[in-house]
Amino acid sequence: MPESDANIRAVLRYYDRTESRLGYLYLLRGTKHFGWYEAGDSRWRFSPATRRMEHQLGRRLGLDAGSRVLDAGCGMGEVARTMAADFHLDVTGIDILDFNLDEARRRSEKSGLAGRTRFAECDYHDLSRFEDGLFDGAYTMETFVHAAEPERVLAEFHRVLRPGGRLVMFEYSRTPQERLEPAARAALDAVCELGAMPSWHRLNHGDLESLLDSASFKVESVEDVTARMLPMLRAFAVIGRVPYTIARLLGKTEKAVNAMSGVEMWKHQEAWRYNIYTAVKKA
Ligand SMILES: C[S@@+](CC[C@H](N)C(=O)[O-])C[C@H]1O[C@@H](n2cnc3c(N)ncnc32)[C@H](O)[C@@H]1O
């Protein structure tokens, strides 16, 4: 069985859990990424913060109206709709969760954006349904961490982008294992294992830049924007404290993965960073 098949089953299991479904729906209204906070913003106002993060993406894509863009790991299509509505892009969203794709199509229809957003069930390790050079841009919003074979995914992004096409990735990196205290190492191991995120577990700070370079992308910038999303993580740590404690007492941590992640990642901020990578496909 290919490594990515086992990984895809683990990703499906993670997002199909009651805690994941309810948490993303009721706390974030279907959006599944962190928000961008400036000084003075309330940490509890999640929706404006997540929209601000999406605007950071649109600006870094910097593409003309009507440009064709691939949203790799689109979830319920919230990011895709912001790219279509506010940046006038033509977005193809792919994901492996059929229940998210159904909801993405329904929401796009309802908001009048079905003409500029389309969604397909597809694993980003294999983009063979898309021809070479089809897209002007591509992005991942907290999705590449799930990749079992990151080199293969980047090779596919490279193939489906036109020369000069832009790739923007909002992704985590980790502190090397040997530089972490045992408690921080165990916390990150648990978050990556239970959250089905092998690439986060594997990619140290600086590694994704090297992979992009090896995949024939020119890296324009790498920004550590951890400080911008920390207020939302703090809120999740507060919300998660009680459920995580109860789950631990019952020996059922796997039922409260998001609660655990909020608490442990807040506690062990030395173990990780949240970055924005902007790259261009070399001609
Ligand atoms: C944290 S969510 C982010 C969703 C969306 N980008 C957002 O910000 O709302 C990660 C998404 O990546 C998707 N994903 C994980 N592995 C994938 C793969 N191999 N191919 C396509 N999508 C994948 C998951 O199903 C999930 O919807």
Side-chain angles (χ1 to χ4, degrees):
M1 177 175 46
E3 204 182 332
S4 59
D5 288 359
N7 177 249
I8 280 174
R9 280 206 294 279
V11 173
L12 294 172
R13 261 198 312 277
Y14 166 66
Y15 285 104
D16 205 15
R17 292 170 321 110
T18 308
E19 186 211 20
S20 274
R21 285 197 185 231
L22 296 181
Y24 286 123
L25 199 57
Y26 291 108
L27 282 181
L28 296 183
R29 299 186 190 167
T31 300
K32 290 189 271 182
H33 63 78
F34 275 97
W36 176 282
Y37 291 81
E38 300 287 351
D41 290 333
S42 163
R43 73 167 75 111
W44 298 104
R45 299 200 62 225
F46 298 150
S47 288
T50 51
R51 294 293 90 84
R52 282 195 296 272
M53 188 66 94
E54 291 159 7
H55 277 236
Q56 296 293 329
L57 164 65
R59 273 183 232 145
R60 283 165 183 76
L61 281 169
L63 292 165
D64 294 336
S67 297
R68 282 189 289 220
V69 178
L70 177 70
D71 178 336
C74 62
M76 291 185 183
E78 291 298 304
V79 186
R81 274 183 296 283
T82 299
M83 292 306 108
D86 298 349
F87 294 89
H88 312 289
L89 300 177
D90 182 89
V91 189
T92 300
I94 58 162
D95 207 291
I96 51 175
L97 303 175
D98 54 359
F99 54 91
N100 273 190
L101 292 163
D102 290 344
E103 183 61 15
R105 289 186 196 103
R106 198 189 63 74
R107 291 183 181 200
S108 279
E109 204 62 61
K110 197 169 164 213
S111 56
L113 288 166
R116 277 186 274 155
T117 54
R118 68 200 60 77
F119 301 97
E121 191 170 337
C122 175
D123 172 3
Y124 52 40
H125 289 86
D126 175 9
L127 299 177
S128 49
R129 66 194 298 152
F130 302 114
E131 66 201 59
D132 295 3
L134 178 64
F135 295 105
D136 304 297
Y139 61 86
T140 65
M141 180 63 91
E142 303 182 25
T143 71
F144 189 72
V145 282
H146 290 298
E149 299 171 68
E151 293 87 350
R152 197 171 140 203
V153 179
L154 292 182
E156 280 293 75
F157 289 168
H158 187 271
R159 186 184 63 73
V160 299
L161 281 169
R162 64 163 167 78
R166 298 181 65 75
L167 175 64
V168 182
M169 304 175 77
F170 286 60
E171 299 295 340
Y172 306 91
S173 59
R174 66 164 295 156
T175 304
Q177 188 101 321
E178 60 280 7
R179 297 226 310 265
L180 290 175
E181 295 295 330
R185 196 185 305 170
L188 190 63
D189 286 354
V191 169
C192 292
E193 167 71 26
L194 293 174
M197 297 185 281
S199 279
W200 187 7
H201 196 254
R202 183 187 136 185
L203 297 178
N204 292 331
H205 309 314
D207 285 354
L208 183 51
E209 293 86 314
S210 305
L211 289 189
L212 284 163
D213 185 61
S214 304
S216 288
F217 284 98
K218 179 179 181 308
V219 179
E220 272 188 353
S221 63
V222 181
E223 303 155 80
D224 172 359
V225 296
T226 313
R228 300 268 73 84
M229 49 70 80
L230 276 182
M232 194 155 155
L233 180 64
R234 176 75 183 121
F236 290 168
V238 171
I239 295 167
R241 199 162 41 213
V242 172
Y244 177 40
T245 306
I246 294 171
R248 256 200 320 193
L249 287 172
L250 296 175
K252 301 248 179 229
T253 310
E254 75 287 353
K255 299 267 184 223
V257 181
N258 295 350
M260 173 193 74
S261 302
V263 173
E264 296 291 355
M265 290 303 95
W266 174 256
K267 191 165 159 196
H268 296 291
Q269 289 171 34
E270 73 281 18
W272 58 277
R273 288 181 198 153
Y274 185 93
N275 314 293
I276 307 177
Y277 304 84
T278 305
V280 179
K281 172 174 170 168
K282 290 182 194 162

